[in-house]
Amino acid sequence: MLYLGGQDYEDALFQLVEWTHHVLLPVYGREVTSTAVWCSRWWEHPEAVAQLHGLWLAWAELSNPARDMTGPAAWHRDFLGPVMATLRDPMGPFAGCKPGNHRPKEVPQVESPFVAVGA
């Protein structure tokens, strides 16, 4: 999803927001605390978008009634717990955010191992 652009990204984000706000958070959101953070503007955190997109795709695949009946249990065990723990970790992508107070993250500075031509 992170590689999409323009209207394709907007369409995918709309679907992800719908699933996150109407399926995931009402059931699995839990209370926000200093040790279990959540950003009210989560879609502005690329890591959260990527993690939630993967979680949503796995949910769509594993909750399909035409598939193996153990799919939902596998989704809970293999996907939901690890993703939510990563997202809600105090040092995770929402670190520094508080309810109603989004804090953009700074991207780490990196240097190139290659010398620029003409330098």
Side-chain angles (χ1 to χ4, degrees), residues 11-79:
D11 292 345
L13 183 60
F14 177 81
Q15 291 177 339
L16 181 60
V17 167
E18 287 292 302
W19 179 78
T20 301
H21 289 193
H22 298 289
V23 176
L24 181 70
L25 291 177
V27 177
Y28 304 105
R30 299 184 185 173
E31 187 173 355
V32 174
T33 67
S34 61
T35 59
V37 295
W38 187 267
C39 183
S40 58
R41 299 180 64 90
W42 61 264
W43 57 90
E44 293 186 16
H45 296 272
E47 179 183 352
V49 169
Q51 293 263 3
L52 288 169
H53 184 245
L55 187 62
W56 173 48
L57 291 176
W59 176 82
E61 174 72 19
L62 294 171
S63 66
N64 182 339
R67 303 275 308 180
D68 182 3
M69 296 298 286
T70 62
W75 181 79
H76 283 90
R77 180 194 65 218
D78 297 338
F79 299 98

